[in-house]
Amino acid sequence: MTGLTAACSRSTSAAQGADPPSPPPHSTPAGTLDEQSKAALGTAFDAGVAATGVAGVAAYVWIGDREWSRVAGVADLRSGQPFDPSAHVRIASITKSFTATAVLRLVDDGLLRLDDPVERYVPGLPNGAAITVSDLLGMRSGLYDFTSDPTFNADFDADPTMPWSDRRTLAIIKAHPVDFAPGQKVVYADSNYAVLGMVIEKVTGRPAG
């Protein structure tokens, strides 16, 4: 089963792109896409749109050779232009889903444990001996969010294609105090998943991508 969702949350219209995405390669379907499941997807889609208040969204699901899709909302709040499913949108943190899935696959394979301390894989982080893999997954680590660093943001705004490295990510995290003790709060921070990518690479010996 494969799904794709693209959303526009800004008031300006999205850039126009090519046709809606084609179904990705697939093997044995993991489920069925009959009328009942399509109705369930539609209900979930409508509830999600209503709950989030997203301006515009397009969703696609493929199972085997069957497809379901739904579009809602607008591309421009001022003009009311309908959301175009072929538009280009920023997908951003969708990579976190892939990262979490890869980590859980490693857990299933017995190569990693959710209660492992991050110090075992990425030494030298603040509270690294107390922060677990589970804390990183659940945004409970308390690590400083490196994308909140003013210098990082100034450099990124000046050049969004600037070269970057794990070493520079870790340097920013280590240069700032932690926000809270591990497990005390749930606070969204990109540092958690940047570090999880490093954990994946340490365990597998392969690039996270």
Side-chain angles (χ1 to χ4, degrees):
M1 174 178 176
T2 304
L4 174 66
T5 302
C8 177
S9 59
R10 301 200 173 198
S11 59
T12 54
S13 57
Q16 297 304 302
D19 293 333
S22 300
H26 51 261
S27 53
T28 304
T32 60
L33 198 52
D34 54 21
E35 293 308 311
Q36 182 177 358
S37 58
K38 288 181 180 180
L41 285 168
T43 298
F45 177 89
D46 293 341
V49 171
T52 61
V54 65
V57 60
Y60 296 82
V61 175
W62 297 276
I63 301 180
D65 59 358
R66 298 188 177 187
E67 175 184 344
W68 171 89
S69 63
R70 180 76 67 92
V71 179
V74 298
D76 190 314
L77 293 174
R78 289 169 294 190
S79 69
Q81 176 186 351
F83 186 80
D84 183 353
S86 68
H88 289 165
V89 297
R90 181 174 177 267
I91 61 172
S93 289
I94 193 172
T95 52
K96 289 183 173 68
S97 301
F98 297 124
T99 301
T101 299
V103 168
L104 294 176
R105 288 281 299 272
L106 293 174
V107 172
D108 283 346
D109 291 342
L111 300 175
L112 186 65
R113 293 173 58 90
L114 290 175
D115 59 0
D116 282 346
V118 68
E119 178 71 17
R120 182 175 301 173
Y121 307 102
V122 186
L125 285 171
N127 286 340
I131 297 169
T132 66
V133 171
S134 179
D135 288 329
L136 294 172
L137 287 166
M139 300 290 185
R140 300 185 303 269
S141 73
L143 291 173
Y144 177 81
D145 189 356
F146 79 97
T147 57
S148 295
D149 180 76
T151 301
F152 170 86
N153 280 294
D155 292 345
F156 183 75
D157 288 344
D159 180 12
T161 64
M162 65 181 182
W164 197 251
S165 66
D166 290 343
R167 179 183 58 79
R168 296 178 72 181
T169 297
L170 294 174
I172 293 176
I173 295 173
K174 293 176 182 180
H176 294 269
V178 297
D179 292 331
F180 53 87
Q184 277 194 348
K185 300 179 183 179
V186 176
V187 176
Y188 189 96
D190 290 312
S191 291
N192 291 295
Y193 276 70
V195 173
L196 282 171
M198 300 174 207
V199 171
I200 292 170
E201 294 182 345
K202 179 68 174 180
V203 172
T204 64
R206 300 169 58 190

